[in-house]
Amino acid sequence: MPEFDSKKVADIHQQLHSHLPSDSALRIKALETLLVDKGLVNPDTIDAWVEAYSEEIGPKRGAEVVAKAWSDSKFKQKLMQDAPAAIDELGYLGKATAHLKVVENTDDVHNLVVCTLCSCYPFSILGIAPAWYKAAAYRSRAVRDPRGVLAEFGVHINNEVEIRVWDSTAELRYLVLPQRPAGTEQMGEDELAGLVTRNSMIGTDRDLGANPGRAY
Amino acid sequence: MDGIHDLGGKEGYGPIEVIKDGSPFHHDWEGREWGIAQCARTPGITIDWWRHCRELIMPQDYLGRPYFDSWAQTDFATYIEAGLISMEEVIEGKAKAGDSHYANPPAPMSVQQVLQEDRNHAFRYDAKIEPEPAFSIGQKVLTSSHGNIGHTRLPQYARGRHGVVHAYHGAHVFPDLSAQGKEVHQHLYSISFAATDLWPEVQNRKDKVYLDLWESYLQDGQS
């Protein structure tokens, strides 16, 4: 059982710095070998988690949630009031989404999500976070210079638009509901979902009419 | 803790590497570590203790090594601290003979079972508590000017700042104590801060930053 001893862990990290192999692949192999030897994990289950988050769970789920919110006003109302219950209807409630909140972009508001203290992310609807979301450059600047950050993603926000940055400091997780592009009134949910980029659900993309059909 | 992990507002980390790549994992070992983190049995651990152990990684490793690599180092540290594996075993690269902690190792899970397990991982952190929330929506609050030693979720950039209660979320597990293995619930609020109150260089008066903060980080901000 853990003793919750911070000093001991700081000392362990110093020793690991000296003793672990430098190569990441060898480090993770060493960890897996020890845990399997000790009966703490089953390697086949690791395979299954990798496949689940490569094939089944990813931003296509979030895109489906967004497309349904655009198409179905009752679903949207539920999503805004009780997002975990709404995504559970689609079978997408899961890891890190039991306290999901949805924040909506409008003509006057743009939302951007970050976790400055670690890398919190709504896994069961967006999958594995992109590398930039977990990197120091994004985590440090999103709260201080969101307009500069967005410009690096090719997104230029008019000064009249209010930017709301959501720093995920608790167990709440945030999903941005992007604006439905003009001229999509005839589209069904599947086609609409194809317009929704992963970045638009984090807030580093805004105008989905500008680049239709992108995968992310 | 006032550690390297507390990155909000820090300068000098350069431009963002914008890669439009939808691949969840870019190396096999990233996927392996993700899977290990989901299915390894770690009795008595809390999410906040795990986060704190990641914060305790030496700064040069925290910033210099890849993301999932830091997860693996955190796993090593939590297992060693809990006595489930030893530093000697890490150095040797294998478990001591016959040293299995479980008589029955976990059975393999299929992808379908893992998808159900992901649903089971929709953990809630809220609970009902007796005291009424001290603050109400729209109220001005002032954040604590000092962080707590050990794990805490009030970032440095939002300390000693005035904000407004935007939403109340019930009582959630208080991370500062959860990182010490104690489950105590405390009222949780979303607090909005004007960007101009956080950053001297910001000109746009409309922009806001929202943080989810526990009651003991806050005091009334009217006076």
Side-chain angles (χ1 to χ4, degrees):
Chain A
M1 291 292 282
E3 294 168 27
F4 305 99
D5 184 340
S6 301
K7 283 199 176 74
K8 187 173 166 187
V9 169
D11 180 54
I12 289 167
H13 280 308
Q14 291 229 344
Q15 294 185 53
L16 290 170
H17 177 82
S18 303
H19 293 307
L20 286 177
S22 177
D23 181 66
S24 296
L26 294 177
R27 287 182 170 213
I28 279 77
K29 183 71 192 159
L31 177 64
E32 184 176 341
T33 300
L34 278 176
L35 295 178
V36 171
D37 278 358
K38 286 177 175 275
L40 289 162
V41 300
N42 187 308
D44 294 340
T45 308
I46 299 175
D47 292 342
W49 276 102
V50 173
E51 190 177 334
Y53 269 83
S54 299
E55 306 297 331
E56 304 289 337
I57 302 176
K60 63 183 178 181
R61 284 184 164 191
E64 195 183 315
V65 171
V66 168
K68 192 170 178 64
W70 285 345
S71 310
D72 177 344
S73 60
K74 276 193 173 161
F75 179 80
K76 181 185 169 186
Q77 193 179 9
K78 186 167 183 178
L79 185 70
M80 300 309 294
Q81 287 172 355
D82 186 354
I87 65 169
D88 201 21
E89 283 181 14
L90 302 175
Y92 298 160
L93 183 67
K95 189 172 175 58
T97 51
H99 296 290
L100 185 71
K101 297 282 175 192
V102 175
V103 287
E104 185 180 12
N105 284 352
T106 67
D107 287 345
D108 304 319
V109 172
H110 183 80
N111 293 281
L112 181 69
V113 181
V114 63
C115 174
T116 63
L117 294 173
C118 46
S119 49
C120 297
Y121 198 65
F123 295 111
S124 81
I125 47 163
L126 293 185
I128 304 295
W132 54 261
Y133 182 87
K134 301 175 280 202
Y138 182 77
R139 285 171 51 196
S140 59
R141 286 176 55 214
V143 285
R144 185 161 186 165
D145 180 26
R147 289 170 188 270
V149 165
L150 287 163
E152 285 172 30
F153 283 87
V155 178
H156 300 276
I157 306 283
N158 186 312
N159 274 340
E160 299 305 306
V161 175
E162 174 185 329
I163 295 187
R164 297 178 182 170
V165 182
W166 299 85
D167 188 356
S168 315
T169 46
E171 296 301 339
L172 275 58
R173 297 290 173 270
Y174 291 92
L175 179 79
V176 177
L177 179 59
Q179 287 181 282
R180 180 174 180 163
T184 60
E185 293 75 15
Q186 305 303 317
M187 288 187 184
E189 284 183 30
D190 286 353
E191 200 177 353
L192 286 170
L195 301 177
V196 181
T197 63
R198 176 193 60 200
N199 288 3
S200 74
M201 296 181 277
I202 305 172
T204 54
D205 192 4
R206 178 168 170 88
D207 182 1
L208 296 175
N211 298 293
R214 263 187 321 189
Y216 289 100
Chain B
M1 67 181 266
D2 292 335
I4 193 69
H5 69 286
D6 192 351
L7 286 166
K10 299 294 192 311
E11 297 172 273
Y13 291 100
I16 291 150
E17 285 187 62
V18 178
I19 301 165
K20 286 181 178 154
D21 173 6
S23 307
F25 307 113
H26 299 88
H27 304 281
D28 285 349
W29 58 264
E30 293 182 334
R32 299 314 287 172
E33 174 51 34
W34 167 257
I36 289 168
Q38 303 320 307
C39 68
R41 296 194 227 170
T42 46
I45 204 171
T46 66
I47 181 64
D48 294 296
W49 171 239
W50 193 91
R51 283 191 188 121
H52 186 48
C53 290
R54 183 160 173 253
E55 296 164 359
L56 288 163
I57 291 175
M58 293 160 73
Q60 62 267 46
D61 288 339
Y62 189 93
L63 292 174
R65 297 198 62 87
Y67 179 73
F68 279 115
D69 183 301
S70 81
W71 278 33
Q73 186 167 337
T74 307
D75 288 344
F76 271 119
T78 54
Y79 282 115
I80 294 169
E81 197 267 351
L84 290 166
I85 60 179
S86 69
M87 190 63 76
E88 290 70 33
E89 289 174 315
V90 173
I91 294 167
E92 293 283 316
K94 60 180 182 184
K96 280 183 191 163
D99 187 19
S100 176
H101 284 269
Y102 293 94
N104 298 307
M109 290 172 79
S110 67
V111 174
Q112 278 311 311
Q113 287 171 311
V114 157
L115 290 172
Q116 179 56 45
E117 187 71 359
D118 192 85
R119 173 67 174 76
N120 297 338
H121 283 194
F123 301 124
R124 292 190 67 107
Y125 293 84
D126 56 335
K128 288 222 182 312
I129 60 172
E130 282 292 321
E132 293 289 317
F135 307 112
S136 49
I137 290 169
Q139 186 172 349
K140 285 183 185 166
V141 290
L142 175 64
T143 59
S144 168
S145 53
H146 301 290
N148 290 337
I149 205 158
H151 185 64
T152 191
R153 298 291 284 185
L154 175 61
Q156 288 175 355
Y157 77 86
R159 291 183 193 160
R161 304 301 172 120
H162 286 276
V164 176
V165 177
H166 168 75
Y168 168 66
H169 303 295
H172 282 229
V173 172
F174 184 51
D176 304 47
L177 290 176
S178 167
Q180 301 168 25
K182 299 165 193 157
E183 187 176 302
V184 177
H185 293 80
Q186 200 182 94
H187 296 300
L188 179 73
Y189 308 85
S190 293
I191 308 295
S192 77
F193 297 88
T196 47
D197 285 342
L198 296 176
W199 316 112
E201 71 280 10
V202 171
Q203 301 297 318
N204 194 310
R205 302 204 160 270
K206 285 184 173 177
D207 292 353
K208 293 186 178 65
V209 181
Y210 292 76
L211 287 87
D212 298 324
L213 300 175
W214 279 265
E215 194 161 275
S216 63
Y217 299 161
L218 306 170
Q219 64 181 71
D220 180 34
Q222 303 285 0
S223 48

